[in-house]
């Protein structure tokens, strides 16, 4: 005990000891064969037969010691090796004779041989410990291995060289693993022990891992081929995920740790990488459509893992998913945008879609920026697939939020809705269309006091300013200023002596004076004839205004005027909120009970379309202050109208002027027309700007430069028309010899 | 009287009273603004000379700013430029 410990601790001085032995005399000739045949060999045989050793260990140690001391170590080592060799050869031969048809039985037998062999070798080593420690460690013996290594080498030599035994063992293991994959119960501990054996004898990589990976490859190649065809995509992905998980688990439980990575990549390759395109083709858009967040998350996770094993000529799965997402969004979006019958719900549908996609990207695609950008890219593309209309509808949607009547929503909720609408606005190319409709709607909100909240209005303007720059909102902000300035102006008018005229008529006069270019107003003189009282009011105000602002002129916008009228019906007095047109019509009935359509048209000077609309509102709406003859839902030029003497209503104050707020077909057309005019103006300005610096340009060159400067979508034909117009107006001239070249005229 | 007006709100659009013409300096229409401005109206006012020729204030200011004080003439009629005094 003591001796052992000293030696173990003092490793380097060993060499000195060995040198000392060399001085010992040569052994007597009989010493080795006597000791081996009489004592040591029977001991080895007894161990191999799992019997007790016939002599005391102390005696056996002594013999080994003597043999080594007398320099017979090589002979002893050799004899011992041959004895072990014979033994293991016999045991392996027994295994070779065993049928591998029952895998568990065969593998258990192999394991039993291995396990017993290890036990024997440990016992033998104990007997020959002195030999192991001295002779074998001696560097001068190149092919001498430690006893344990020698044992492993012997086992390996026979196990591997008797071809069928190792082959059968591997085959049985692979069969069991496939069975395990098929869901049958197998002896995992047995497999683990056998694989440790392969590792111990150094044949794990070549004899086991290689065929194992090949059989894994085949197994999943076959499985995926069947399942991809028979299962729906979400089910298959779930399956793939659980397979990857199970194989990972197998790697930990059974296999050598080095096998994990090649195993998992084999599984991913065969189960996922091989089928990425098919999976996406069959399932991606339907998962998006059904908003299967969890399935898509799995899809993203599983397919992303496959990216390392994609064929060289294939795009990465993430790229493929991204472009599928773009395709999907474009399709869904285009269906919403292009279907004219769904225009009333377009914006709400787009907002819902956007919110849903944001949720998908965040949840299923890890909020990856590239996917966000893909969604935005798709929106941009489909929203602009239909010219102008989406921009118009977004503007109207915003109007509906800013207008009075959104009861039940907090200001905060309305703000959020505005932000969402702004997200859509961001995708629009034709921002000028949005601006024109926003401008028109804002004008109505301001002129008819229909704005829900000045704070909300201002917040929207600042959002737009932030988005498009101050130039975009300057006009809108100026509209608010015009309204404020008009209110101030009325304050000073009311203290002015001229205001007495309106007072003498008993009319509370208010005038909005608006800068014409900022408002969607007409500067054409109106043919509408005002009642005298209003005419008087208008004239005094004009006089007042021009004293304050010389060099200006006023164009009256009767279509936008409004009145409060006291109406004495026999059944009771009512206060009516009327449009100016309605007022002008109604006042005619002070001098008549019944008037024909044409009499009304002559007396008022109101054009046909607005007059018919006005008559309809007075005689065919909910509150009928006039009666139409004959009755009917439409106004005809042959109709006549009677003051409704039986008019009653539960309210004293009522509004009949809602028609002013509703957008008419003409207004819509005029708004669109304004956009086109503005665009023409922009084209003109761009052409002049370019020609002023370049002096002379070819047609194509000019077109290219104009294209760079314009921010809205335009056709070359439009630009060509504008160039013609500029030539007519003598800003440009065509080259005498080359009709494709233009010169700037200073 | 069946009906009497209690209250009225009239709407009027104002424009410069300078005809349908364009500014003789920048050639932009008077209902538009000068090339340096974005919104027409108060922000880019018109002015008249004693010769009754109107210009954008910004345009004529730049024009006469470029001339020596004796040579400040109306670019349209070449009379000496004087801002018309308006009430
Ligand atoms: Zn000018
Ligand atoms: Zn200006
Ligand atoms: Zn002049």
């Amino acid at each position: 005990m003591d001796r052992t410990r000293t030696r173990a601790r003092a490793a380097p001085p060993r060499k000195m000891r060995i040198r000392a032995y060399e001085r010992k005399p040569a052994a007597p000739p009989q010493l080795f064969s006597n000791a081996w045949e009489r004592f040591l060999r029977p001991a080895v045989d007894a161990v191999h037969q799992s019997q007790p050793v016939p002599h005391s260990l102390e005696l056996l140690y002594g013999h080994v010691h003597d043999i080594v001391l007398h320099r017979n170590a090589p002979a002893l080592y050799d004899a011992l090796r041959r004895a072990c060799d014979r033994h293991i050869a016999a045991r392996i031969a027994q295994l070779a004779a065993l049928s591998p048809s029952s895998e568990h039985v065969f593998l258990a037998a192999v394991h039993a041989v291995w396990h017993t062999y290890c036990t024997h070798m440990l016992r033998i080593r104990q007997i020959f410990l002195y030999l192991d420690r001295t002779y074998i460690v001696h560097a001068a013996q190149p092919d001498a291995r430690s006893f344990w290594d020698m044992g492993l080498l012997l086992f390996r030599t026979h196990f591997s060289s008797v071809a069928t035994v190792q082959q059968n063992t591997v085959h049985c293991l692979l069969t069991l693993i496939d069975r395990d994959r098929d869901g049958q119960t197998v002896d995992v501990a047995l497999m683990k022990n056998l694989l440790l054996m392969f590792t111990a004898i150094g044949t794990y990589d070549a004899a086991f891992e290689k065929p194992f990976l090949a059989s894994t490859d085949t197994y999943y190649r076959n499985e995926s081929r069947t399942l991809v065809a028979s299962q729906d995509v979400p089910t298959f992905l779930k399956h793939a995920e659980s397979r990857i998980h199970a194989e990972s688990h197998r790697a930990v439980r059974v296999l050598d740790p080095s096998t994990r990575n090649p195993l998992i990549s084999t599984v991913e390759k065969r189960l996922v990488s091989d089928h990425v395109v098919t999976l996406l083709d069959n399932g991606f858009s339907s998962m998006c459509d059904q908003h299967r967040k969890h399935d898509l998350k799995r899809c993203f996770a599983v397919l992303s893992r496959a990216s390392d094993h994609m064929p060289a000529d294939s795009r990465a799965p993430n790229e493929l998913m991204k472009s599928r997402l773009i395709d999907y969004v474009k399709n869904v979006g285009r269906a919403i945008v292009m279907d004219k019958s769904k225009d009333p719900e377009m914006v709400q549908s787009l907002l819902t879609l956007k919110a849903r996609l944001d949720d998908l990207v965040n949840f299923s695609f890890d909020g990856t920026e590239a996917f966000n950008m893909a969604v935005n890219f798709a929106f941009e593309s489909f929203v602009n697939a239909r010219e102008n209309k989406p921009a118009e509808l977004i503007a109207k949607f915003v109007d509906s939020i800013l207008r009075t009547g959104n009861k039940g929503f907090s200001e905060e909720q309305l703000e959020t809705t505005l932000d969402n609408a702004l997200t859509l606005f961001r995708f629009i190319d034709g921002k000028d269309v949005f601006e024109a409709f926003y401008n028109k709607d804002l004008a109505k909100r301001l002129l008819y006091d229909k704005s829900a909240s000045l704070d909300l209005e201002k917040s929207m303007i600042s959002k737009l300013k932030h988005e498009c720059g101050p130039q975009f909102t300057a006009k809108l902000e100026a509209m608010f200023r015009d309204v404020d300035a008009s209110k101030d102006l009325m304050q000073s008018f009311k203290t002015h002596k001229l205001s007495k005229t309106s007072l003498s008529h008993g009319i509370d006069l208010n005038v909005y004076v608006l800068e014409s270019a900022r408002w969607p107003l007409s500067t054409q003189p109106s043919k509408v004839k005002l009642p005298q009282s209003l005419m008087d009011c208008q004239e005094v105000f004009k006089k007042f205004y021009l004293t304050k602002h010389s060099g200006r002129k006023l164009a009256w916008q009767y279509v936008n005027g409004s009145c409060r009228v006291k109406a004495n019906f026999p059944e009771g007095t009512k206060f009516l909120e009327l449009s100016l047109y309605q007022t002008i019509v109604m006042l005619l009935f002070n001098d008549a009970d019944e008037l024909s359509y044409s009499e009304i048209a002559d007396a008022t000077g109101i054009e046909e379309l607005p007059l018919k609309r006005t008559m309809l509102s007075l005689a065919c709406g909910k509150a009928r202050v006039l009666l139409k003859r004959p009755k009917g839902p439409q106004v005809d030029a042959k109709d006549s109208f009677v003051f409704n003497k039986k008019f009653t209503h539960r309210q004293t104050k009522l509004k009949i002027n809602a028609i002013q707020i509703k957008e008419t077909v003409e207004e819509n057309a005029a708004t669109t027309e304004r956009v086109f005019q503005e665009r023409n103006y922009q084209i003109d300005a761009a052409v002049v700007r370019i020609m002023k610096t370049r002096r002379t340009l070819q047609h194509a060159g000019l077109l290219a430069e104009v294209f760079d400067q314009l921010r809205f979508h335009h056709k070359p034909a439009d630009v060509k028309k504008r160039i013609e117009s500029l030539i007519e107006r003598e800003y440009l001239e065509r080259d005498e010899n080359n009709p494709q070249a233009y010169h700037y005229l200073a | 009287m069946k009906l009497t007006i209690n209250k009225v709100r009239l709407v009027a659009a104002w424009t410069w009273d300078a005809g349908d013409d364009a500014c003789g300096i920048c050639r932009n229409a008077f209902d538009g603004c000068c090339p340096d401005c974005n919104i027409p109206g108060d922000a880019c006012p018109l002015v008249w000379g004693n010769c009754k020729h109107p210009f954008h204030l910004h345009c004529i200011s730049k024009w006469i700013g470029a001339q020596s004080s004796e040579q400040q003439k109306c670019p349209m009629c070449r009379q000496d430029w004087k801002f018309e005094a308006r009430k």
Side-chain angles (χ1 to χ4, degrees):
Chain A
M1 194 71 181
D2 263 351
R3 222 170 41 182
T4 321
R5 200 183 291 153
T6 319
R7 277 182 195 155
R9 204 186 295 147
R14 259 187 214 164
K15 261 188 182 168
M16 290 169 62
R17 262 179 211 286
I18 291 164
R19 235 175 251 131
Y21 300 150
E22 283 166 16
R23 283 186 228 111
K24 293 279 174 190
Q30 295 309 311
L31 179 92
F32 168 70
S33 58
N34 185 43
W36 171 252
E37 292 298 340
R38 284 187 57 202
F39 302 100
L40 297 175
R41 183 182 173 157
V44 169
D45 287 347
V47 169
H48 277 146
Q49 276 142 41
S50 302
Q51 301 290 324
V53 177
H55 303 94
S56 80
L57 282 176
E58 203 174 356
L59 178 79
L60 297 174
Y61 291 158
H63 283 295
V64 172
H65 198 232
D66 279 355
I67 291 170
V68 172
L69 280 184
H70 289 93
R71 305 168 78 181
N72 272 323
L76 178 60
Y77 183 81
D78 199 44
L80 181 61
R81 194 173 56 79
R82 272 187 280 118
C84 293
D85 187 55
R86 270 196 308 277
H87 173 72
I88 191 61
R91 301 302 313 268
I92 298 285
Q94 283 168 2
L95 287 177
L98 191 64
S99 155
S101 60
S102 165
E103 291 81 7
H104 273 116
V105 172
F106 182 79
L107 290 177
V110 174
H111 180 242
V113 168
W114 164 249
H115 183 73
T116 317
Y117 181 71
C118 290
T119 317
H120 292 167
M121 293 314 272
L122 285 173
R123 281 183 71 194
I124 292 170
R125 179 175 179 264
Q126 218 182 349
I127 297 168
F128 292 89
L129 195 62
Y130 192 70
L131 178 72
D132 201 27
R133 290 251 171 96
T134 56
Y135 168 72
I136 290 161
V137 164
H138 198 333
Q141 306 292 334
D143 60 342
R145 293 160 193 275
S146 82
F147 186 68
W148 181 249
D149 286 348
M150 178 197 79
L152 293 177
L153 181 63
L154 290 178
F155 190 92
R156 170 186 173 159
T157 308
H158 293 286
F159 185 72
S160 318
S161 69
V162 180
T164 53
V165 178
Q166 178 161 282
Q167 250 173 38
N168 285 345
T169 309
V170 170
H171 181 78
C172 287
L173 283 169
L174 297 182
T175 307
L176 289 192
I177 290 172
D178 278 359
R179 255 183 229 163
D180 185 30
R181 286 169 176 156
D182 290 342
Q184 296 178 34
T185 314
V186 297
D187 188 340
V188 171
L190 177 61
M191 292 197 295
K192 171 81 191 166
N193 282 330
L194 285 169
L195 289 175
L196 285 174
M197 175 192 84
F198 276 99
T199 307
I201 65 174
T203 58
Y204 180 88
D205 289 357
F208 174 77
E209 190 186 61
K210 244 173 99 184
F212 167 69
L213 292 175
S215 96
T216 302
D217 194 278
T218 311
Y219 186 89
Y220 286 114
R221 194 190 288 274
N222 292 336
E223 180 184 85
S224 64
R225 198 179 291 144
T226 325
L227 291 187
V228 163
S230 64
Q231 285 183 336
D232 64 20
V233 174
T235 312
F236 180 81
L237 289 170
K238 234 177 248 171
H239 175 78
E241 193 183 51
S242 74
R243 279 301 197 194
I244 292 167
H245 182 78
E247 293 295 342
S248 219
H249 192 53
R250 179 192 318 289
V252 174
R253 269 190 323 163
V254 183
L255 305 173
D256 188 85
S258 65
T259 310
R260 192 191 170 273
N261 288 345
L263 168 63
I264 297 304
S265 44
T266 304
V267 179
E268 287 172 347
K269 221 184 286 179
R270 295 290 88 95
L271 222 44
V272 187
S273 304
D274 285 353
H275 306 288
V276 165
V277 172
T278 316
L279 291 172
L280 292 176
D281 279 348
N282 295 349
F284 191 80
S285 68
S286 72
M287 285 191 285
C288 289
D289 221 31
Q290 294 160 31
H291 203 64
R292 300 174 76 147
K293 287 161 69 163
H294 294 272
D295 288 331
L296 278 168
K297 191 181 178 70
R298 185 173 298 113
C299 178
F300 181 67
V302 170
L303 265 58
S304 299
R305 299 183 60 149
S307 51
D308 294 343
H309 330 298
M310 293 298 284
D313 58 341
S314 162
R315 291 166 70 199
N318 274 10
E319 288 299 314
L320 290 169
M321 279 186 276
K322 222 174 65 187
S323 71
R324 298 301 162 115
L325 184 64
I326 292 176
D327 290 348
Y328 167 73
V329 177
K330 276 189 186 171
N331 279 335
V332 177
R334 206 171 279 144
I336 295 173
V337 166
M338 300 309 269
D339 185 348
K340 286 184 183 158
S341 71
K342 288 185 185 155
D343 280 355
E345 308 99 64
M346 184 201 286
V347 176
Q348 193 51 59
S349 305
L350 293 179
L351 289 176
T352 311
L353 177 66
K354 184 67 173 49
R356 197 166 74 70
L357 290 167
D358 286 349
D359 181 47
L360 271 192
V361 170
N362 273 330
F363 183 87
S364 309
F365 302 111
D366 265 3
T368 312
E369 191 46 34
F371 281 78
N372 272 321
M373 278 162 65
V375 168
N376 290 349
F377 172 79
F379 260 81
E380 220 168 288
S381 138
F382 78 71
V383 161
N384 292 303
R386 184 161 163 209
E387 260 180 284
N388 305 335
K389 199 70 186 177
E392 175 190 327
L393 293 176
I394 294 168
K396 284 181 179 162
F397 180 84
V398 171
D399 176 52
S400 73
I401 302 296
L402 294 175
R403 220 193 260 178
T404 47
N406 285 300
K407 288 187 184 103
F409 292 100
S410 69
E411 194 125 315
E412 210 180 326
Q413 285 170 314
L414 295 176
E415 283 273 4
T416 311
T417 314
L418 288 179
D419 283 334
N420 294 338
L422 209 69
T423 315
L424 294 183
F425 166 73
R426 225 166 266 152
F427 300 130
I428 298 276
D429 277 344
K431 302 232 182 332
D432 50 353
V433 177
F434 174 90
E435 191 199 5
F437 280 92
Y438 191 90
N439 174 262
K440 173 187 73 70
D441 294 333
L442 174 61
K444 288 198 169 192
R445 293 196 298 278
L446 292 176
L447 293 181
Y448 307 130
D449 296 323
K450 286 289 168 191
S451 193
S453 138
L454 193 61
D455 286 347
L456 214 53
E457 291 281 0
K458 288 201 169 144
S459 149
M460 184 64 197
I461 299 272
S462 81
K463 287 182 213 292
L464 286 172
K465 190 188 255 177
H466 184 254
E467 198 62 42
C468 303
Q471 209 168 313
F472 189 83
T473 50
K475 211 166 149 183
L476 303 173
E477 289 171 292
M479 289 165 76
F480 286 95
R481 279 202 303 276
D482 274 357
V483 169
D484 289 343
S486 294
K487 285 175 181 162
D488 293 346
L489 193 66
M490 287 323 292
Q491 287 298 318
S492 70
F493 174 70
K494 275 168 188 169
T495 57
H496 197 275
K497 58 182 187 322
L498 281 168
S499 69
K500 277 178 194 141
T501 310
S502 71
L503 288 174
S504 74
H505 286 293
I507 296 174
D508 179 4
L509 173 66
N510 283 283
V511 183
Y512 276 167
V513 184
L514 312 171
E515 153 56 40
S516 64
R518 294 165 193 163
W519 293 74
L521 303 172
S522 152
T523 48
Q524 298 298 314
S526 169
K527 293 193 185 82
V528 172
K529 296 166 205 160
L530 288 188
Q532 193 56 47
S533 56
L534 290 182
M535 204 61 192
D536 293 345
C537 292
Q538 176 189 305
E539 286 309 309
V540 280
F541 180 81
K542 185 171 150 191
K543 220 178 196 176
F544 163 78
Y545 182 79
L546 293 180
T547 58
K548 296 222 151 196
H549 300 279
S550 62
R552 297 186 181 186
K553 59 183 179 190
L554 295 177
W556 295 94
Q557 311 287 319
Y558 298 137
V559 69
N560 302 113
S562 54
C563 296
R564 186 191 298 149
V565 172
K566 185 182 172 196
N568 295 312
F569 293 101
E571 307 274 326
T573 298
K574 302 288 176 195
F575 293 91
L576 308 176
E577 297 283 345
L578 299 177
S579 75
L580 185 57
Y581 281 5
Q582 288 170 325
T583 309
I584 297 169
V585 171
M586 286 305 289
L587 253 60
L588 298 177
F589 288 86
N590 273 337
D591 306 318
D593 284 329
E594 176 164 356
L595 290 165
S596 71
Y597 176 86
S598 54
E599 284 170 325
I600 296 171
D602 286 347
T604 59
I606 301 172
E607 283 175 50
E608 186 186 345
L609 274 176
L611 182 58
K612 281 191 171 166
R613 212 174 280 131
T614 303
M615 298 318 296
L616 204 65
S617 70
L618 293 170
C620 305
K622 277 180 197 151
R624 300 180 179 184
V625 288
L626 297 180
L627 298 174
K628 187 173 89 75
R629 287 191 181 155
K631 283 184 182 170
Q634 250 140 35
V635 171
D636 189 86
K638 293 186 200 96
D639 291 343
S640 61
F641 298 88
V642 182
F643 184 75
N644 184 3
K645 287 187 173 144
K646 295 200 174 122
F647 182 80
T648 57
H649 200 277
R650 57 190 169 81
Q651 289 164 264
T652 319
K653 283 187 191 172
L654 46 143
K655 289 181 182 175
I656 310 183
N657 63 348
I659 49 162
Q660 276 183 304
I661 294 157
K662 251 181 96 183
E663 182 192 75
T664 64
V665 182
E666 301 92 272
E667 272 174 342
N668 187 295
T671 307
T672 312
E673 181 54 31
R674 253 199 303 280
V675 175
F676 294 139
Q677 267 173 15
E678 178 62 19
R679 285 184 179 181
N680 283 344
Y681 175 76
Q682 299 268 340
I683 297 173
D684 287 0
V687 170
V688 169
R689 215 163 30 236
I690 293 161
M691 290 306 292
K692 202 168 177 177
T693 42
R694 303 301 213 95
R695 313 309 290 183
T696 296
L697 261 183
Q698 296 285 318
H699 182 72
L702 177 57
L703 238 54
E705 291 203 29
V706 169
F707 184 82
D708 284 344
Q709 292 203 5
L710 296 182
R711 286 189 174 175
F712 51 88
H713 178 80
H714 62 277
K715 301 182 194 81
D718 299 337
V719 180
K720 195 154 188 254
K721 256 186 235 157
R722 298 318 300 165
I723 294 173
E724 296 300 335
S725 153
L726 287 167
I727 290 171
E728 253 169 53
R729 286 181 283 156
E730 298 185 341
Y731 281 88
L732 307 180
E733 71 175 1
R734 219 182 276 282
D735 189 281
E736 279 175 25
N737 304 315
N738 180 2
Q740 289 295 306
Y742 307 112
H743 303 290
Y744 181 72
L745 295 174
Chain B
M1 288 288 259
K2 291 173 193 140
L3 301 129
T4 44
I5 301 172
N6 284 350
K7 192 174 178 179
V8 62
R9 178 185 285 159
L10 295 175
V11 177
W14 72 262
T15 49
W16 297 110
D17 191 10
D20 287 336
D21 272 347
C23 170
I25 299 172
C26 70
R27 296 214 208 162
N28 285 349
F30 282 132
D31 56 9
C33 54
C34 83
D36 295 334
C37 291
N38 293 311
I39 352 171
D42 300 325
C44 185
L46 296 198
V47 288
W48 281 259
N50 275 339
C51 58
K52 301 289 178 204
H53 281 125
F55 300 98
H56 292 117
L57 170 66
H58 300 146
C59 292
I60 191 70
S61 305
K62 230 194 248 174
W63 174 270
I64 57 175
Q67 324 278 320
S68 60
S69 54
E70 311 86 64
Q71 285 175 315
Q72 290 176 348
K73 312 251 188 236
C74 169
M76 303 304 283
C77 62
R78 300 271 140 207
Q79 293 181 42
D80 286 347
W81 177 263
K82 285 267 156 22
F83 284 100
E84 185 196 44
R86 295 215 163 195
K87 339 147 242 169

